[in-house]
Amino acid sequence: MENSEKLKNSKEVIAYLAERFPECFVAAGEAKPLKIGIFQDLAERMAEDPKVSKTLLRTALRQYTSSWRYLHGLKAGMSRVDLDGNPCGELTQEHIDHAKQALKDSKEKVFGPRKEKPAGKKPRPRVKKVDPAKLAVEQNVKVLLGKSPVPATIKEVTRDDVQVELKTGMSVRVKFDHIVL
């Protein structure tokens, strides 16, 4: 990368900040808590740097401080650091609590929908073990195909499975545990 080449995104800016200020920013691993108001210090030190615009610098700093690894690193007893890595104040409990809540909210935003989907949908019907002796040809049953039970009529019962005809006319062979009475 040439010195005059402008950085295009937050990821590039964060990598550049880790190069320029290694005692403050890290590209990998647990991040250090940053001094409150560090954006002003960055803006002053990088005012003449043609690689980074102030807007992109602000966006990259926001991304860095809201990342899971940064929020995870905010713990009791840790000191904030300035651009040169000098300690400049302990983390307050209020800031630690805020970081924990922000991390929790962020993870719920990412993982929450996966956990909530099954609760929001109709529960899958409880499948009882079907006694093959109680099944008869021409008996109407429901067959679990995918997530929903589908109406079907039994056409044949064998020792291992059941052949059913769906309402659509399609004939399917299924195991006993896919039959819902």
Side-chain angles (χ1 to χ4, degrees):
M1 192 181 316
E2 293 178 12
N3 285 346
S4 61
E5 189 177 316
K6 208 155 181 70
L7 301 175
K8 297 172 191 75
N9 59 47
S10 295
K11 192 173 182 177
E12 289 179 358
V13 172
I14 292 168
Y16 183 61
L17 291 174
E19 280 177 28
R20 287 247 352 235
F21 307 104
E23 299 301 316
C24 182
F25 294 94
V26 292
E30 200 167 273
K32 300 171 188 172
L34 302 179
K35 170 186 170 187
I36 294 175
I38 201 160
F39 173 75
Q40 284 309 113
D41 298 348
L42 276 170
E44 287 172 20
R45 289 240 201 135
M46 299 182 78
E48 303 300 316
D49 193 327
K51 285 185 165 189
V52 184
S53 71
K54 223 175 181 178
T55 304
L56 190 52
L57 183 61
R58 185 181 310 275
T59 303
L61 190 59
R62 189 174 298 118
Q63 181 179 334
Y64 185 82
T65 58
S66 63
S67 71
W68 290 1
R69 67 187 185 94
Y70 180 83
L71 294 172
H72 191 286
L74 301 182
K75 297 176 185 151
M78 294 192 73
S79 293
R80 293 182 176 276
V81 295
D82 65 10
L83 292 175
D84 301 313
N86 300 317
C88 55
E90 289 244 339
L91 282 171
T92 64
Q93 189 59 46
E94 180 184 356
H95 290 148
I96 293 167
D97 293 343
H98 176 76
K100 283 181 184 175
Q101 187 61 46
L103 182 60
K104 181 182 175 223
D105 293 346
S106 180
K107 286 186 175 185
E108 282 177 2
K109 198 173 187 179
V110 172
F111 298 118
R114 292 184 197 156
K115 291 178 184 173
E116 293 168 16
K117 279 183 183 175
K121 291 186 177 183
K122 290 189 282 185
R124 189 171 177 153
R126 281 208 172 283
V127 180
K128 298 176 195 168
K129 291 251 182 192
V130 176
D131 181 2
K134 292 186 179 179
L135 297 178
V137 175
E138 296 304 319
Q139 180 182 359
N140 290 324
V141 294
K142 291 196 176 186
V143 180
L144 288 177
L145 297 177
K147 295 178 183 175
S148 304
V150 178
T153 305
I154 295 176
K155 292 299 176 187
E156 179 185 12
V157 180
T158 67
R159 184 172 56 98
D160 299 321
D161 54 24
V162 180
Q163 183 172 349
V164 295
E165 186 176 298
L166 306 178
K167 263 186 158 180
T168 60
M170 186 163 113
S171 188
V172 181
R173 208 167 265 292
V174 296
K175 297 287 183 192
F176 294 114
D177 59 350
H178 288 264
I179 302 288
V180 180
L181 293 176

